């Protein structure tokens, strides 16, 4: 078992949102296990993990839809666990967007202000500004059913932004969009949140989305935060084999470490902070592939596919198992055909990660 | 597909169509026969008619007993509908959204009065009313029919509620609405089509019910079905057919209004 990840990644300012040891059980099932996380002003933190890892549960605890069984959730230093859901300075963008189908776009955006009893003229002005922010001024009189998925998402965002929440919670907001739209919407949404300086928690199971959207990523597993770090660090230095497996594509080997070095499958060695049996991880782009059998790591190409300028080879190694190799695509005629005997070697041994044996 | 399979396929589809047409004829034919009879010049019910007159329709509105019975039934229909909305919508909300044991039992229990034969329920209400000193009246009749058809309203609203995205109510709370504000501004407006669909059924039952009403109606406020029953038992004139004709016209008018205002599709939901 790992110790819970340390929540504080050297924040310079006091955190806007601070989650301390939050635990949530449903009957015998522990869905959240001592989760801790501090989020700084204007920061976007992503909760990333497969379904059932507890990311949505944590989001719902922050929003107040569910009460944690233990732990604290503070916003600007004030405990919010006992604050009712409709009094929290938190805005939620739902996976389904949850736009009110019987209200126009303008009335959807005005809803929260109306509930706060704001004067009609002030509401109109703020709704107009919010719709301008998300470039939907021309759609104020439409009903949600008359909008595209992307436009609906922007209404959902405007509807919470107009209330100026301290924390914005986004629950898989791109799920309902088709793949083509997603990429552009991710960039747009990140830029919007950054421009407005909003503190945001973003939930997704999609690693690409997480890498695009986040200042920091919290990779979750079975109710715990396994690693909390900026995207590059998560990708380049995954703290555990689980994180390495979840983010990007990875190859694993069992090996043995001694005297601060670990043996690599291609005959080289790399520095190791562990001793004894270990698991080593090598990224597909850290492997070189060449025809012929002149090294210890040999196999046959079983499958290959083009990914733009790159080719991914699946090599069935003689030791058993399949190794993924990512290489630049060669010009026609010089590519390696399926079935070819090849030798693999690790490009930079220092980029291999060493974990406890799996 | 082989030609033989294709033939069998065509025949099967044709058979289904034929059954649908037969069903449609069975649905419409009695009403058409009644309407035709209502124009007959003879003073007794017989088919086919031998002449054409509107006298029977004029007579319907000359008979004060019939007009009063119609107005009584109208009042009962409206009262039953109001009671069913008042009692049924909160019951449906509790059954679907309630977070305590017994909600499933409650949602089944509301069906019981509807499953008991109307005559049994009518007698039961009459005896129970007598026990607490409430005799038969237009109010007891309205209440007893409301109990009889409450299940329709509860079930219609429940099924809509179950299909409502729970995130809508969560979004409302997240945007600052209190539970009651959420109910008034989000849940209730979204339930309105279901409530209207339920109201159509409860109104028709209130207007038309005989089995319960025959025991619980006030003897000075006879509802239309009871009046009609007395009429066919004592006379054999096309007057009864003319009353039915009036009701058919009213039903068509009601359907047209529903279609024009909320749309038949939304009632079907």
């Amino acid at each position: 078992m790992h110790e819970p990840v340390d929540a504080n990644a050297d924040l310079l300012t006091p955190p806007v949102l601070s989650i301390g040891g939050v635990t949530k059980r449903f009957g015998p099932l522990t869905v959240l296990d001592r989760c801790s996380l501090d989020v700084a002003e204007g920061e976007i933190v992503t909760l990333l993990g497969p379904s059932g890892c507890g990311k949505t549960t944590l989001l719902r605890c922050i929003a107040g839809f569910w009460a944690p069984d233990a732990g604290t959730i503070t916003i600007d230093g004030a405990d919010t666990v006992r604050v009712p859901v409709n009094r929290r300075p938190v805005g939620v963008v739902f996976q389904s967007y949850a736009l009110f189908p019987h209200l126009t776009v303008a009335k959807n955006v005005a809803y929260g202000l109306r509930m706060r009893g704001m004067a009609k003229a002030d509401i109109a002005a703020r709704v107009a500004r919010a719709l301008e922010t998300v470039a939907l001024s021309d759609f104020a009189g439409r009903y949600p059913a008359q909008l595209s998925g992307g436009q609906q998402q922007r209404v959902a965002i405007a509807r919470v932004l107009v209330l100026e929440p301290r924390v914005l919670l986004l629950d898989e907001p791109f799920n309902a969009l088709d793949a083509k739209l997603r990429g552009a919407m991710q960039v747009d949404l990140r830029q919007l949140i950054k421009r407005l300086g909003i503190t945001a928690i973003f939930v997704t199971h999609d690693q690409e989305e997480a890498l695009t959207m986040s200042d920091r990523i919290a990779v979750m597993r079975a109710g715990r935060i396994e690693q909390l770090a900026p995207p590059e660090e998560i990708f380049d230095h995954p703290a555990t084999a689980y994180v390495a497996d979840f983010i990007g594509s990875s190859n694993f080997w069992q090996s043995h470490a001694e005297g601060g070095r670990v043996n690599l499958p291609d005959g080289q060695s790399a520095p190791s902070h562990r001793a004894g049996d270990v698991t080593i991880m090598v990224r597909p782009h850290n492997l070189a592939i060449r025809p012929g059998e002149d090294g210890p790591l040999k196999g046959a190409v079983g499958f290959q596919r083009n990914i733009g300028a790159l080719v991914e080879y699946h090599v069935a190694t003689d030791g058993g198992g399949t190794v993924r190799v990512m290489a630049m695509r060669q010009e026609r005629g010089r590519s390696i055909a399926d079935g070819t005997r090849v030798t693999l070697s690790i490009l930079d041994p220092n980029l291999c990660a060493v974990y406890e044996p799996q | 597909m082989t030609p033989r399979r294709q033939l069998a396929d065509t025949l099967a589809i044709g058979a289904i169509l034929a059954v649908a047409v037969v069903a449609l004829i069975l649905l419409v034919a009695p009403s058409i026969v009644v309407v035709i009879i209502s124009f007959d010049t003879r003073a007794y019910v017989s088919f086919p008619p031998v002449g054409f007159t509107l006298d029977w329709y004029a007579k319907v509105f000359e008979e004060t007993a019939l007009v009063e019975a119609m107005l009584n039934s109208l009042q009962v229909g409206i009262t039953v509908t109001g009671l069913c909305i008042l009692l049924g919508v909160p019951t449906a909300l509790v059954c679907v959204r309630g977070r305590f044991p017994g909600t499933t039992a409650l949602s089944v229990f509301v069906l019981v009065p509807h499953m008991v034969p109307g005559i049994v329920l009518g007698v039961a209400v009459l005896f129970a009313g007598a026990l607490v000193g409430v005799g038969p009246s237009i109010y007891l009749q309205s209440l007893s029919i409301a109990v009889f058809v409450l299940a329709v309203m509860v079930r219609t609203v429940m099924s809509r509620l179950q299909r409502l995205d729970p995130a809508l109510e969560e979004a409302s709370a997240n945007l600052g609405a209190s539970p009651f504000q959420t109910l008034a501004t989000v849940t209730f407006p979204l339930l309105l089509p279901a409530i209207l669909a339920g109201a159509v059924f409860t109104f028709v039952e209130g207007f038309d019910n005989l089995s319960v009403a025959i025991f619980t109606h006030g003897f000075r406020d006879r509802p239309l079905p009871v009046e009609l029953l007395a009429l066919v038992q004592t006379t054999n004139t096309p007057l009864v057919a003319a009353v039915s004709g009036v009701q058919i016209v009213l039903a068509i008018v009601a359907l047209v209004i529903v279609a024009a205002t909320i749309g038949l599709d939304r009632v079907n939901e």
Side-chain angles (χ1 to χ4, degrees):
Chain A
M1 282 300 250
H2 305 281
E3 278 308 297
V5 168
D6 180 20
N8 305 299
D10 316 316
L11 298 180
L12 297 174
T13 50
V16 170
L17 172 69
S18 180
I19 296 162
V22 165
T23 298
K24 177 73 186 170
R25 292 182 207 92
F26 289 112
L29 210 69
T30 301
V31 186
L32 281 179
D33 188 7
R34 287 165 290 160
C35 279
S36 294
L37 173 68
D38 281 356
V39 184
E41 180 93 52
E43 193 184 20
I44 304 177
V45 172
T46 295
L47 307 178
L48 174 67
S51 54
C53 73
K55 56 191 194 299
T56 299
T57 306
L58 184 54
L59 186 101
R60 294 180 67 86
C61 285
I62 301 168
F65 300 134
W66 288 334
D69 294 313
T72 57
I73 298 171
T74 63
I75 294 174
D76 290 327
D79 186 15
T80 60
V81 167
R82 261 162 291 281
V83 176
V85 54
N86 57 333
R87 301 236 184 282
R88 293 193 185 195
V90 170
V92 183
V93 174
F94 291 85
Q95 194 173 341
S96 63
Y97 307 141
L99 299 180
F100 304 128
H102 59 300
L103 300 179
T104 61
V105 167
K107 289 213 165 127
N108 263 281
V109 177
Y111 188 85
L113 300 172
R114 234 175 74 214
M115 292 303 123
R116 279 163 179 69
M118 188 180 270
K120 274 214 166 108
D122 297 341
I123 292 180
R126 285 177 70 165
V127 168
R129 218 179 319 138
L131 286 177
E132 210 173 299
T133 308
V134 295
L136 281 175
S137 300
D138 295 341
F139 297 86
R142 298 251 192 122
Y143 284 89
Q146 299 168 310
L147 302 180
S148 71
Q151 289 166 338
Q152 289 182 16
Q153 190 203 54
R154 274 144 62 199
V155 177
I157 291 164
R159 187 172 69 172
V160 290
L161 288 188
V162 76
L163 301 173
E164 296 171 357
R166 286 298 285 148
V167 181
L168 178 65
L169 305 177
L170 302 126
D171 186 10
E172 311 225 11
F174 301 106
N175 258 22
L177 301 179
D178 54 90
K180 221 172 174 182
L181 252 175
R182 272 184 212 182
M185 291 294 287
Q186 285 163 23
V187 176
D188 284 355
L189 186 54
R190 176 172 166 88
Q191 285 175 340
L192 176 69
I193 294 172
K194 281 287 151 191
R195 181 154 51 84
L196 300 173
I198 298 165
T199 308
I201 300 266
F202 176 83
V203 162
T204 185
H205 63 268
D206 185 311
Q207 46 156 319
E208 239 175 89
E209 246 171 62
L211 294 171
T212 308
M213 293 289 298
S214 327
D215 295 322
R216 282 190 299 154
I217 297 174
V219 181
M220 292 187 68
R221 174 196 198 181
R224 292 185 150 206
I225 295 175
E226 185 111 341
Q227 186 176 10
L228 176 63
E232 314 80 61
E233 198 182 320
I234 294 261
F235 191 83
D236 293 340
H237 305 289
T240 65
Y242 171 83
V243 175
D245 197 28
F246 197 77
I247 302 268
S249 166
S250 331
N251 299 299
F252 292 99
W253 279 280
Q254 305 305 321
S255 186
H256 194 79
E258 230 176 54
R261 305 289 296 176
V262 61
N263 298 319
L264 299 178
D266 68 339
Q268 302 187 71
S269 72
S272 170
H273 56 283
R274 290 180 187 278
D277 288 336
V278 294
T279 294
I280 56 170
M281 187 279 290
V282 183
R283 293 287 193 197
H285 57 257
N286 193 21
L287 283 164
I289 183 168
R290 60 179 183 275
E293 301 184 65
D294 56 355
L297 188 54
K298 295 186 290 271
V301 174
F303 171 79
Q304 58 183 297
R305 59 172 179 158
N306 292 339
I307 307 165
L310 299 174
V311 190
E312 186 187 62
Y313 295 101
H314 292 197
V315 177
T317 54
D318 295 349
T322 300
V323 175
R324 287 155 191 255
V325 182
M326 202 74 95
M328 293 299 289
R329 188 141 58 89
Q330 300 294 318
E331 39 187 283
R332 210 178 269 269
R334 288 187 56 201
S335 62
I336 302 170
D338 285 354
T340 308
R341 296 286 300 169
V342 291
T343 302
L344 306 178
S345 56
I346 291 165
L347 289 169
D348 184 351
N350 294 321
L351 289 180
C352 299
V354 183
Y355 303 116
E356 61 186 77
Q358 297 296 300
Chain B
M1 232 191 282
T2 63
R4 222 174 137 172
R5 282 278 304 276
Q6 213 159 9
L7 181 70
D9 210 70
T10 312
L11 284 177
I13 299 289
I16 292 171
L17 263 173
V19 171
V21 169
V22 169
L24 199 66
I25 290 169
L26 285 174
L27 281 172
V28 177
S31 302
I32 291 174
V33 169
V34 163
V35 170
I36 291 172
I37 289 172
S38 71
F39 295 119
D40 199 354
T41 46
R42 290 174 294 186
Y44 52 92
V45 171
S46 185
F47 197 84
V50 294
F52 180 87
T53 176
L54 288 173
D55 284 357
W56 299 115
Y57 284 90
K59 269 219 175 89
V60 167
F61 294 100
E62 281 163 17
E63 289 272 348
T64 41
L66 274 178
V67 175
E68 266 173 31
M70 270 192 225
L71 292 176
N72 285 339
S73 280
L74 195 68
Q75 188 192 328
V76 172
I78 291 168
T79 312
V80 165
T81 304
L83 282 172
C84 283
I85 292 173
L86 228 57
L87 298 172
V89 176
T91 306
L93 281 167
V94 167
C95 283
V96 178
R97 292 283 189 265
R99 283 201 203 115
F100 44 86
T103 55
T104 314
L106 179 63
S107 69
V108 175
F109 190 74
V110 293
L111 288 174
V112 170
H114 201 70
M115 280 150 68
V116 170
I119 289 182
V120 175
L121 184 75
V123 171
V125 170
L126 188 65
F127 285 173
L131 213 61
V132 292
V134 177
S137 70
I138 195 163
Y139 307 109
L140 190 69
Q141 183 201 346
S142 301
L143 183 66
S144 59
I145 299 175
V147 169
F148 187 53
V149 293
L150 185 62
V152 175
M153 181 65 78
V154 173
R155 284 290 162 152
T156 313
V157 174
M158 269 179 74
S159 77
R160 174 83 183 114
L161 207 50
Q162 277 157 347
R163 281 179 296 128
L164 221 58
D165 182 2
L168 288 170
E169 284 159 318
E170 286 172 354
S172 170
N174 177 251
L175 292 168
S178 68
F180 182 74
Q181 283 176 317
T182 299
L183 192 67
T185 59
V186 175
T187 316
F188 190 75
L190 292 176
L191 290 180
L192 212 50
I195 294 171
L196 286 173
V200 171
F201 284 101
T202 55
F203 176 81
V204 168
E205 190 66 39
F207 191 88
D208 201 42
N209 176 282
L210 175 67
S211 58
V212 179
I214 202 161
F215 294 101
T216 56
H217 76 273
F219 293 107
R220 280 190 195 80
D221 300 313
R222 295 173 93 174
L224 191 58
V226 172
E227 192 66 43
L228 283 181
L229 184 66
L231 206 61
V232 293
Q233 279 171 337
T234 54
T235 65
N236 186 25
T237 66
L239 188 62
V240 181
V243 175
S244 308
V246 171
Q247 285 194 58
I248 289 167
V249 170
L250 288 179
I252 290 170
V253 168
L255 273 180
V256 168
I257 291 172
V258 168
T261 51
I262 58 168
L264 291 176
D265 293 346
R266 293 185 69 185
V267 172
N268 266 334
E269 267 178 11

